[in-house]
Amino acid sequence: METTEPDDDPEEELPGVGVVTIATNRSLTTDAAGETIEGILEERGFEVPMREHVGADHDKVQSIVSRMVDRNDVELVLTSGATSIEPDDVTLQAVRPLLDKELPTFNDLFSTLAYDAFGSRVIAARTLAGVSGDVPVFCLPGNRDAVRLGLEKLVLPEATHLVTLASEGETVADPEIEKEIEDE
């Protein structure tokens, strides 16, 4: 099953997206990748109830992503930056322990698309995707073009579907258990 466009159902509610960018050499006002993410999301009708910027500090990254996952108005989390192989690139190490399930195919697909778009330089790019609780989390590079590629080709076409899949286990009760509770 291949999906290339977000569902066009006007009745379908788009998930709220938390965005955190990680970079020591930029701020929230000079963050091209974060601006790109927010612009693409808003252009497509997604709400961004929380956007933060943090330096490449393991504990701060982990704390912010964890807070986003715990919010009721955030159903999907996107990070951008600190994903390469430089010594202070800590995003994947900070986020991975928060994930209950990883989505390894995301990294495979992103690598293939990025190689086609950018060539062998992509060898230093690392990405991560998974689910924390019932919230899908995607860690993208800090490069504006790489962010656009990941969002437009992979994340957004599947965002609503992934949010639905991740939350179904939490919100759909077993009818037999429901009946037993009612009978008590």
Side-chain angles (χ1 to χ4, degrees):
M1 172 165 93
E2 182 178 319
T3 303
T4 56
E5 295 298 323
D7 294 330
D8 292 329
D9 182 357
E11 300 293 317
E12 185 172 61
E13 195 171 313
L14 296 173
V17 182
V19 178
V20 60
T21 50
I22 301 101
T24 303
N25 62 349
R26 294 187 300 263
S27 68
L28 193 59
T29 58
T30 62
D31 177 27
E35 288 294 319
T36 298
I37 292 171
E38 191 168 37
I40 290 171
L41 291 172
E42 289 177 353
E43 177 182 295
R44 299 212 180 174
F46 289 85
E47 288 191 31
V48 180
M50 183 177 183
R51 177 172 173 216
E52 294 213 19
H53 175 88
V54 65
D57 176 277
H58 179 281
D59 293 342
K60 287 181 183 176
V61 171
Q62 193 170 66
S63 176
I64 289 171
V65 171
S66 181
R67 279 189 294 124
M68 285 185 177
V69 166
D70 290 342
R71 288 176 59 119
N72 291 332
D73 57 352
V74 172
E75 298 166 289
L76 179 80
V77 173
L78 297 172
T79 76
S80 173
T83 61
S84 186
I85 59 172
E86 296 172 45
D88 64 345
D89 287 340
V90 298
T91 301
L92 275 59
Q93 291 83 351
V95 173
R96 184 170 272 121
L98 300 174
L99 301 179
D100 302 311
K101 297 177 182 175
E102 286 193 34
L103 301 172
T105 304
F106 173 75
N107 185 55
D108 297 341
L109 291 171
F110 181 85
S111 296
T112 300
L113 291 171
Y115 177 76
D116 290 344
F118 311 118
S120 62
R121 187 157 221 168
V122 73
I123 200 164
R126 301 182 308 148
T127 60
L128 176 67
V131 178
S132 179
D134 61 355
V135 177
V137 178
F138 292 88
C139 300
L140 297 164
N143 175 281
R144 179 191 338 216
D145 294 330
V147 161
R148 181 176 296 284
L149 175 78
L151 281 178
E152 291 179 346
K153 296 292 186 181
L154 298 173
V155 177
L156 295 184
E158 299 300 329
T160 303
H161 176 68
L162 290 171
V163 167
T164 300
L165 284 175
S167 65
E168 280 182 353
E170 297 294 320
T171 59
V172 177
D174 182 330
E176 293 299 316
I177 294 173
E178 289 287 324
K179 181 159 179 30
E180 287 176 25
I181 292 171
E182 288 174 8
D183 291 341
E184 290 181 1

